[in-house]
Amino acid sequence: ENSSADAWTGLVNEVLNSPHYGERWARHWLDVARFGESTGYEVNRDRANAWYYRDYVIDALNNDKSYRDFIVEQIQLHRRSLEANPPS
């Protein structure tokens, strides 16, 4: 077992560079955003394009996107969605 600072740095870099890093931490954000790949409840139907958002969050974390850019992009996409499909 190597206990040097280089070994610790190498381990941290290995974890941060793993695609599983984004998958693991995206779970927390997706829980807060109440994300679901299906409608749930009584009639549980898949949401056909839900994976786009899930993958966006994973990629943002894996690519170390700043929190500010992450939030701004989501607000912009939400506004575009509302403009395309105004609430009735």
Side-chain angles (χ1 to χ4, degrees):
E1 185 172 312
N2 187 349
S3 61
S4 71
D6 290 338
W8 178 250
T9 302
L11 177 63
V12 169
N13 287 333
E14 181 181 333
V15 169
L16 292 176
N17 290 327
S18 168
H20 301 298
Y21 171 82
E23 293 169 2
R24 168 105 174 137
W25 286 101
R27 291 173 47 201
H28 302 291
W29 182 263
L30 295 171
D31 284 347
V32 169
R34 300 185 54 83
F35 171 81
E37 292 190 19
S38 66
T39 57
Y41 199 55
E42 293 176 358
V43 180
N44 194 19
R45 295 191 180 112
D46 286 340
R47 293 183 173 141
N49 298 318
W51 63 273
Y52 285 115
Y53 181 66
R54 180 200 64 213
D55 287 358
Y56 163 76
V57 173
I58 292 170
D59 289 343
L61 290 164
N62 280 336
N63 294 322
D64 200 25
K65 183 174 289 210
S66 74
Y67 181 73
R68 180 190 179 282
D69 291 346
F70 180 68
I71 296 299
V72 167
E73 286 177 1
Q74 291 182 70
I75 292 170
Q76 289 171 339
L77 291 171
H78 182 68
R79 289 189 69 195
R80 281 189 218 150
S81 173
L82 287 175
E83 290 169 1
N85 305 303
S88 38

